[in-house]
Amino acid sequence: MGLSRVAVQKVGKRFGHQRALVGVDLELAAGEVCALLGPNGAGKSTLLGILSTLVRPTSGAVTYVDGDAARPADDRLRGEIGLLAHASLCYGELTAVENLVFFGGLYGVADPEARAHALLDQVGLDGKARARVASTYSRGMVQRLALARALIADPSLLLLDEPFTGLDRGGALALGQRLGQARADGVIVLVVTHDLEAIAEVTDHVVVLRRGQVAHAVRQRGFTYAELRDLYHRHAD
């Protein structure tokens, strides 16, 4: 069935004496694309790490809900989380197909090679590129491969940290369409981005972080670029 919602309750995170997050409350729902906005150092990547279960909060809790039942943060849950981080998490000595077949095997994907080629078609990595080792890729090509890796297990929670970085306009538009499809499929999508134009129209939930706290949160069906820009400047600056 997959996750129906994720509840973040009073989450805080300290790194030594530095506070990265302070009392963050947030609820993510299936079939929504949430844009997590804020200036550099606001705590966006830290929150993404906590939601992925790779980073433990110092205080507060994250509850993952399937239907009406809470799920433990175990390996089975992690198999339903797709993460695109700043690092690609792909192996440079492997081709695109080899990378995806490897990760597909880890997640128990049926016919991982077929799934790999289907995803590479979706992200726009052509036949010549997918036959080369990833260490020869441009930044944009690595980003496309990393996105395919995040999608390999058909996640019900998709966490993307600056996914438009390195993509040309065509690639950004294609990714925007892919996020819209994920929303239609009932996936919980959280996107950290500074590219407000690329995320416009597919976003129906905006959360602005400032100095580790939620400065503003609002839901509506489809934000325009102008509305996102206005929200950012009013609450993040």
Side-chain angles (χ1 to χ4, degrees), residues 100-122:
L100 296 185
V101 167
F102 171 74
F103 285 106
L106 291 180
Y107 285 108
V109 173
D111 198 350
E113 185 164 355
R115 175 72 172 157
H117 283 289
L119 284 172
L120 293 171
D121 287 341
Q122 288 181 29

Side-chain angles (χ1 to χ4, degrees), residues 34-37 44-45 48 160-163 190-194:
C34 177
L36 184 60
L37 310 179
K44 304 184 300 297
S45 294
L48 215 68
L160 306 176
D161 200 347
E162 298 294 353
L190 179 65
V191 184
V192 171
T193 185
H194 285 94

